[in-house]
């Protein structure tokens, strides 16, 4: 069976692409939305001294590993303290909490399983409300942290705190709305594309910084070459694993319909090795950012005695630190299994197969089929969790040896490659749908004799 990339190469040409006007509109809308997002990452919040904050952010003596991660995901908005500095991380954190509650809280679990479209909309509304609460918490912590830092704010005080909170929360809500619009009217998942655009925007600067380190003698050219080769190898490995799947054979029995025998068909149930996709590292990064972003900004301020432990904890939550790597890896593995259990229910799949007469050869329909699907899915998820954890932690081990100058994270590469593959797949589906509509029109024309009816003469 041809893969998605092979089907795209076979069906996509300039002629078919030029005729797909609906796809043109969706692509243009997506590009315009991402352009608006990038412009917002250069608009600073009111009252901030941008030059002083940039010098504070780039202070080589400071420990800002978490801020570097937030800065990469936000496309450099953090180092400019722009209106989109929070990015969509509060929304992602809210999604995590709502999905966790949807698995353990009975009313929300009923909404998720039995509510249908209305239940999904109601859970989405809860996610929006919770996004506002989390954004208020994060924005308030950032505003207070900036307010106590010397020379970062032109006129510190309560008015600055209120305006900063309002601006940051408004920026997050606007990005959440923009992502939903891209999902509905553009191409690809809007939230993922916003994170993708932020990462891609800072990657050139990261690569230039690495080459600058090699020129200055901070990094050996051999090490730089090794990192480049390793990055290419990781991209190839990610593409291979994202396309890997276990295909379970499904058999449909033959049945008598009049004088004909129908059925007896075979199909396949594809189970991806990485069913959770790019969600686990994003969720893990978001949860790690939530408690440490505020601590990062206040670590160098004059703290009271009861907060004397804060700088020590913050120092341990940096890239390359053992506690950070352990927490990061554990959260990735947890979310791999958790998100897979939400997106794929073996019991529902087994029941649907039984309802339509399908069965797995050698497996009794019903409970035994559900147990077998759970058996296969658990082992596939284990492989997928190990793969994602290895990709995301490999740069962390390098950072432990080389310091935080290495910002080319495995999470960033995973997000960029996965979002690119998903977006290309959606473009392919749009082109195939357009070609299918063209074939239907041609078939209708052939049914009318291949020509339009002649006008009636009077």
């Amino acid at each position: 069976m041809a893969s998605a990339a092979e089907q795209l190469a076979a069906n996509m040409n300039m002629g078919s692409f030029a005729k797909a006007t609906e796809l043109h509109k969706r692509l243009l809308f997506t590009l315009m939305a991402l352009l608006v997002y990038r412009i917002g990452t250069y608009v600073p919040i009111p009252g901030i001294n941008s030059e002083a904050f940039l010098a504070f952010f780039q202070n080589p003596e400071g420990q800002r590993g978490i801020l570097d991660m937030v800065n990469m995901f936000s496309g450099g908005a953090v180092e400019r303290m722009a209106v989109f500095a929070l990015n969509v991380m509060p929304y992602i954190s809210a999604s995590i909490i709502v999905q966790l509650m949807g698995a353990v809280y009975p009313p929300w679990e009923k909404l998720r399983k039995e509510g249908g479209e209305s239940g999904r909309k109601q859970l989405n509304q809860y996610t929006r409300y919770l996004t506002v609460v989390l954004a208020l918490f994060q924005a308030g912590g950032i505003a207070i942290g900036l307010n106590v830092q010397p020379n970062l704010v032109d006129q510190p005080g309560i008015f600055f705190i209120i305006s900063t909170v309002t601006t940051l929360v408004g920026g997050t809500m606007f990005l959440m709305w923009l992502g939903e619009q891209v999902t509905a009217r553009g191409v690809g998942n809007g939230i993922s594309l916003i994170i993708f655009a932020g990462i891609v925007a800072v990657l050139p600067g990261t690569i230039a910084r690495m080459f600058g380190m090699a020129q200055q003698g901070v990094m050996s050219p051999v090490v730089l070459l090794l990192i480049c080769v390793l990055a290419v190898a990781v991209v190839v490995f990610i593409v291979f694993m994202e396309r890997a799947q276990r295909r379970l054979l499904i058999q449909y029995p033959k049945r008598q319909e009049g004088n004909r025998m129908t059925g007896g068909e075979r199909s396949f149930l594809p189970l991806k090795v990485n069913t959770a996709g790019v969600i686990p590292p994003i969720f893990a990064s978001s949860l790690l950012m939530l408690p440490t972003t505020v601590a990062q900004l206040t670590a160098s301020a004059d703290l009271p005695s009861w907060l004397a432990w804060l700088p020590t904890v913050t120092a341990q939550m940096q890239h390359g630190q053992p506690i950070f790597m352990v927490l990061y890896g554990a959260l990735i593995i947890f979310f791999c299994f958790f998100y897979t259990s939400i997106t794929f229910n073996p019991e529902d799949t087994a029941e649907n197969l039984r309802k339509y007469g399908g069965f797995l050869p050698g497996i009794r329909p019903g409970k035994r089929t559900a147990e077998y699907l759970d058996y296969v899915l658990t082992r596939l998820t284990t492989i997928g969790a190990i793969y994602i954890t290895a990709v995301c932690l490999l740069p962390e081990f390098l950072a432990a040896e080389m310091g935080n100058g290495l910002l080319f994270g495995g999470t960033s590469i995973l997000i960029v490659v996965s979002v690119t593959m998903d977006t290309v797949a959606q473009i392919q589906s749009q082109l195939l749908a357009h070609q299918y509509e063209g074939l239907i029109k041609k078939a209708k024309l052939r049914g009318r004799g291949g020509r339009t009816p002649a006008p009636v003469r009077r």
Side-chain angles (χ1 to χ4, degrees):
M1 181 178 179
S3 65
E6 292 167 348
Q7 290 181 12
L8 181 60
N11 293 280
M12 185 175 178
N13 53 64
M14 293 306 297
S16 60
F17 181 79
K19 296 177 182 177
T21 55
E22 179 65 23
L23 179 60
H24 296 168
K25 295 178 182 178
R26 288 180 171 271
L27 287 174
L28 182 60
F29 182 85
T30 303
L31 292 175
M32 293 301 296
L34 295 180
L35 178 62
V36 170
Y37 161 66
R38 288 302 302 153
I39 292 174
T41 60
Y42 286 89
V43 180
I45 61 176
I48 192 76
N49 188 331
S50 301
E51 295 180 358
F53 181 81
L54 183 60
F56 165 77
F57 185 85
Q58 295 179 343
N59 181 14
E61 298 179 359
Q63 293 178 333
R64 50 184 177 84
I66 291 294
L67 287 183
D68 282 331
M69 189 189 304
V70 181
N71 188 56
M72 172 165 282
F73 284 165
S74 63
V78 173
E79 66 181 4
R80 294 182 286 270
M81 195 45 65
V83 295
F84 291 159
L86 287 183
N87 205 261
V88 292
M89 292 307 164
Y91 176 78
I92 294 174
S93 301
S95 300
I96 297 171
I97 296 173
V98 170
Q99 290 186 6
L100 282 171
M101 294 296 292
V104 298
Y105 184 53
W108 286 15
E109 184 179 8
K110 185 176 180 180
L111 277 177
R112 182 174 62 86
K113 292 184 176 181
E114 304 174 8
E117 184 66 19
S118 61
R120 185 184 65 81
K121 289 182 178 179
Q122 191 167 354
L123 288 177
N124 286 341
Q125 196 64 23
Y126 292 155
T127 304
R128 296 187 185 99
Y129 294 149
L130 188 56
T131 300
V132 176
V133 175
L134 295 179
L136 284 171
F137 171 76
Q138 288 184 287
I142 291 174
I144 295 173
L146 291 173
N147 193 65
V148 300
Q149 293 290 337
N151 304 321
L152 291 187
V153 180
D154 295 332
Q155 296 180 353
I158 187 64
F159 181 76
F160 170 77
I161 295 176
I162 294 175
S163 64
T164 300
V165 170
T166 304
T167 303
L168 292 178
V169 173
T172 296
M173 300 309 295
F174 176 77
L175 286 182
M176 182 184 69
W177 173 83
L178 189 65
E180 292 177 351
Q181 294 300 310
V182 170
T183 302
R185 302 170 57 186
V187 177
N189 182 281
I191 300 297
S192 299
L193 282 173
I194 287 175
I195 299 176
F196 166 86
I199 295 173
V200 170
V202 300
L203 280 183
T206 302
I207 296 173
R209 193 178 307 123
M210 291 172 59
F211 277 95
M213 292 170 62
Q215 289 180 350
Q216 297 169 5
V218 178
M219 180 187 299
S220 170
V222 177
V223 175
L224 178 60
L225 179 62
L226 181 62
I227 291 175
C228 294
V229 173
L230 186 62
V232 175
V234 168
V235 170
V236 174
F237 179 62
I238 291 173
V239 173
F240 173 78
M241 292 299 294
E242 290 298 320
R243 293 178 59 184
Q245 57 182 225
R246 170 75 184 276
R247 300 170 66 194
L248 299 179
L249 177 64
I250 299 177
Q251 181 73 47
Y252 291 92
K254 295 182 179 180
R255 59 183 183 271
Q256 186 79 27
E257 290 186 358
N259 296 326
R260 295 188 307 167
M261 291 292 294
T262 60
E265 300 175 351
R266 291 185 176 185
S267 63
F268 293 95
L269 176 64
L271 298 178
K272 292 185 63 177
V273 172
N274 180 24
T275 307
V278 76
I279 297 299
I282 294 179
F283 278 11
S285 301
S286 180
L287 281 188
L288 285 177
M289 292 173 192
L290 184 62
T292 55
T293 301
V294 177
Q296 197 77 56
L297 286 171
T298 58
S300 60
D302 294 331
L303 299 175
S305 58
W306 58 276
L307 283 178
W309 52 269
L310 190 58
T312 304
V313 173
T314 304
Q316 294 299 317
M317 295 298 294
Q318 310 302 314
H319 284 288
Q321 295 296 327
I323 293 180
F324 176 84
M325 289 190 285
V326 170
L327 289 176
Y328 193 35
L331 286 174
I332 289 175
I333 294 173
F334 168 75
F335 281 118
C336 279
F337 283 93
F338 171 74
Y339 197 77
T340 300
S341 67
I342 290 179
T343 56
F344 187 91
N345 191 325
E347 294 182 358
D348 291 345
T349 304
E351 179 62 24
N352 291 333
L353 286 176
R354 187 190 62 81
K355 186 184 299 183
Y356 291 102
F359 64 93
L360 301 175
I363 307 295
R364 183 175 298 176
K367 183 179 179 181
R368 293 298 301 275
T369 298
E371 292 175 352
Y372 180 74
L373 290 175
D374 183 67
Y375 172 85
V376 174
L377 190 64
T378 301
R379 279 146 184 80
L380 289 177
T381 306
T382 302
I383 298 174
I386 294 173
Y387 138 68
I388 295 180
T389 305
V391 169
C392 294
L393 288 186
L394 178 61
E396 301 299 331
F397 287 109
L398 294 178
E401 298 295 329
M402 303 172 54
N404 290 336
L406 180 64
L407 303 178
F408 207 75
T411 307
S412 304
I413 300 176
L414 181 65
I415 292 173
V416 169
V417 175
S418 301
V419 173
T420 301
M421 293 177 65
D422 291 341
T423 306
V424 169
Q426 289 209 19
I427 294 175
Q428 174 208 13
S429 65
Q430 293 280 340
L431 283 175
L432 291 178
H434 174 74
Q435 291 180 354
Y436 181 69
E437 291 175 359
L439 290 175
I440 291 178
K441 291 180 181 179
K442 290 181 180 179
K444 289 181 178 179
L445 266 178
R446 292 193 191 100
R448 292 200 299 262
R451 59 180 184 273
T452 55
V456 179
R457 295 182 179 179
R458 293 184 178 179

